[in-house]
Amino acid sequence: MFELLLHTIPVLFAVGSFWSNTERKLLLLNLGLCAALASLLAFEQAWGGVVVIMVAGLSTTYRVVTQKLLPAYATYIILALMTVLVASINTLTGKTGLLELMPVLTFMVYRFGELHCKEAGLRICMIIGSVNFTVYGVATQTWGLAITEALFAISNAWYYVKLRRQIAALSI
């Protein structure tokens, strides 16, 4: 029953993402999703994913609290440092295969979007990261993660299209 709950909570966050019509709502939802996914991945003992999600939660928290974007050089430095941290933990745990690199790639795309991009760019980064993490969830048979990330990709694609249409309507 506990395992079912751990798989269900992230899916509920993903369903909630269909109402994340602002950048702030998207970031807050992502923060809750980070907590839920970290719990699920810890239960599944997918430690590379746990580390990625926990560090992701910290960067999401930074963006929610400060409401500021970082300049490009700072984004790249922080992204490199965080990626080295995650890769080091993967190396220490012996998880250095292609499968374990997928959360790191998702992590890099998400963090770049959060730290450096406004809403449209953030949503593109989240679409790319969510598609990659969906594949990771399927490969590790972490079905709650896979469903969650697929729904998150769809909702972000929906809002990205709406945002582009609004921008196009304003430019006419």
Side-chain angles (χ1 to χ4, degrees):
M1 187 63 172
F2 181 68
E3 183 177 4
L4 179 62
L5 181 65
L6 286 175
H7 282 273
T8 303
I9 291 172
V11 174
L12 294 175
F13 275 107
V15 170
S17 72
F18 286 93
W19 288 272
S20 63
N21 59 344
T22 65
E23 183 178 77
R24 182 146 179 87
K25 286 179 187 176
L26 176 63
L27 291 168
L28 288 171
L29 184 91
N30 195 44
L31 188 56
L33 189 58
C34 285
L37 288 177
S39 301
L40 172 61
L41 291 171
F43 182 79
E44 296 287 336
Q45 296 182 355
W47 301 113
V50 171
V51 172
V52 167
I53 293 296
M54 288 177 61
V55 174
L58 294 174
S59 89
T60 304
T61 301
Y62 167 82
R63 178 74 184 272
V64 167
V65 170
T66 65
Q67 297 182 9
K68 294 180 182 176
L69 297 175
L70 292 178
Y73 72 89
T75 301
Y76 296 132
I77 290 170
I78 289 174
L79 189 59
L81 291 173
M82 287 187 205
T83 303
V84 166
L85 170 70
V86 172
S88 297
I89 292 170
N90 279 357
T91 300
L92 290 173
T93 60
K95 304 288 186 178
T96 58
L98 180 60
L99 185 62
E100 287 80 15
L101 291 177
M102 291 179 79
V104 176
L105 295 173
T106 298
F107 166 83
M108 291 169 60
V109 173
Y110 268 26
R111 300 306 57 89
F112 179 79
E114 282 182 354
L115 296 173
H116 187 66
C117 300
K118 292 186 180 181
E119 185 176 359
L122 173 60
R123 289 196 186 272
I124 289 172
C125 289
M126 291 201 163
I127 293 165
I128 294 167
S130 292
V131 168
N132 185 57
F133 225 26
T134 299
V135 173
Y136 175 76
V138 170
T140 60
Q141 296 181 356
T142 310
W143 302 112
L145 172 68
I147 293 166
T148 297
E149 291 297 324
L151 288 171
F152 208 53
I154 292 166
S155 71
N156 276 298
W158 168 255
Y159 281 111
Y160 177 75
V161 168
K162 285 181 71 171
L163 188 61
R164 296 304 301 171
R165 285 182 182 161
Q166 287 174 350
I167 292 170
L170 289 175
S171 65
I172 293 178

